[in-house]
Amino acid sequence: LDMTDMNRVLDFQEGLNAVRVQPGIRWGELHHELAKKGVTAGLQGPHGFLGATLGGGIGGNCFSINSPKYGWLNENILNLQVVLPNGDIIETGSLANTKVKDWYYRYCNGPDLVGIFLGAAGAFGVITEFTLRTYPIPEYSATLAYSFPDTDSQLKFVFKLEWYGYVTDLWGIAFFTLPDSLKRILAPLVGERDLAIFATEAYDKDIFKAQKKAIDKMAKEFGGIALPVEGICRALGIPLYLNTPVLEITEGSVAIGWEGEI
Ligand SMILES: Cc1cc2nc3c(=O)[nH]c(=O)nc-3n(C[C@H](O)[C@H](O)[C@H](O)COP(=O)(O)OP(=O)(O)OC[C@H]3O[C@@H](n4cnc5c(N)ncnc54)[C@H](O)[C@@H]3O)c2cc1C
């Protein structure tokens, strides 16, 4: 089934932080629509796939850019409308109560029927509508880069960063795993140290400042050295703004932009 004609935003409830959409909507289209409402899905879609559908992401249990902060796509699903193989149309969660129209909760009295259809590759029915969590757009964000003496310290730092909730998206790079061409570019910048390149974000200027200070202290605990992030991202060919879907286009790369444009 090609679901891409079912790509509409059906309802948005700011107070409930929830948007009701059809499953054929592509990640790029969703970001575009949510930006107009001044909110974000948090998740930005599987790496490099703004043209993939949200329904496909649900069926395939997709993780995403910004999953370190916002979880997997399916952890953000509140309700589903599903057409079962016998033709019945069911609603799950709070919408299973027929008196409820736009009150979006996943967990109610009774079993969690949403879970049966998540990551199920469409085996138990076709999802025709779903509700997704939305979040306020963080006003402050930055990409930071640190090098570490070895993989053990790098990983300990990364785990701690996650526990404290400071990381939005992250690339961890062990030097020894890189191809020789990249080793040659990176060695003059970082020696043979392992890298953590990550995005961090906050809603408040003072909290953001304090958060960056706390991260710096945490990195130093594990022998981390702060790096000039722009140079490192350019050397590795990765986007500077890790937590947004706007990809930096470098020679030879292909990016899918807003609304599936290439
Ligand atoms: C090179 C590459 C890199 C990737 N990187 C990542 C990554 O970083 N993270 C990640 O999580 N994934 C990654 N993926 C996988 C990616 O998440 C999926 O390819 C993408 O989400 C599929 O979207 P689609 O619109 O093509 O779905 P489809 O391929 O059309 O569908 C996927 C599955 O969902 C089912 N489905 C679709 N719509 C519905 C519906 N309405 N109701 C019920 N079932 C439905 C389909 O039957 C199918 O089983 C990558 C894939 C590739 C090829």
Side-chain angles (χ1 to χ4, degrees), residues 91-164:
E91 300 279 354
T92 66
S94 50
L95 294 185
N97 179 342
T98 50
K99 295 199 173 69
V100 171
K101 290 252 176 307
D102 51 8
W103 196 246
Y104 303 125
Y105 288 106
R106 173 161 170 181
Y107 301 103
C108 302
N109 289 343
D112 172 24
L113 292 181
V114 180
I116 295 172
F117 300 99
L118 303 179
F124 302 125
V126 179
I127 297 161
T128 40
E129 291 181 16
F130 66 93
T131 320
L132 181 73
R133 273 184 215 288
T134 58
Y135 302 87
I137 298 172
E139 225 175 295
Y140 301 91
S141 77
T143 303
L144 304 174
Y146 285 87
S147 72
F148 293 87
D150 49 54
T151 310
D152 192 48
S153 349
Q154 179 227 37
L155 284 178
K156 281 184 178 147
F157 167 71
V158 165
F159 287 138
K160 194 158 180 187
L161 201 62
E162 280 257 18
W163 285 330
Y164 279 71

Side-chain angles (χ1 to χ4, degrees), residues 1-4 6 22-27 45-49 51-65 67 72-73 81-82 117 119-130:
L1 294 178
D2 181 350
M3 304 296 287
T4 50
M6 291 183 70
Q22 293 179 316
I25 195 163
R26 297 172 193 275
W27 284 93
H47 290 90
F49 279 86
T53 64
L54 273 282
I58 295 172
N61 208 7
C62 134
F63 65 90
S64 154
I65 295 172
S67 277
W72 291 50
L73 170 61
Q81 182 189 73
V82 185
F117 300 99
F124 302 125
V126 179
I127 297 161
T128 40
E129 291 181 16
F130 66 93

Side-chain angles (χ1 to χ4, degrees), residues 189-233:
L189 299 171
V190 302
E192 298 202 352
R193 292 163 64 90
D194 292 336
L195 305 181
I197 305 167
F198 54 94
T200 187
E201 59 190 28
Y203 298 103
D204 175 274
K205 194 176 177 182
D206 292 333
I207 291 176
F208 186 55
K209 230 169 123 183
Q211 190 164 300
K212 283 200 292 183
K213 214 168 144 191
I215 289 171
D216 195 61
K217 193 171 158 211
M218 203 180 269
K220 286 186 176 133
E221 241 179 81
F222 299 103
I225 298 174
L227 299 170
V229 68
E230 284 188 32
I232 295 293
C233 286

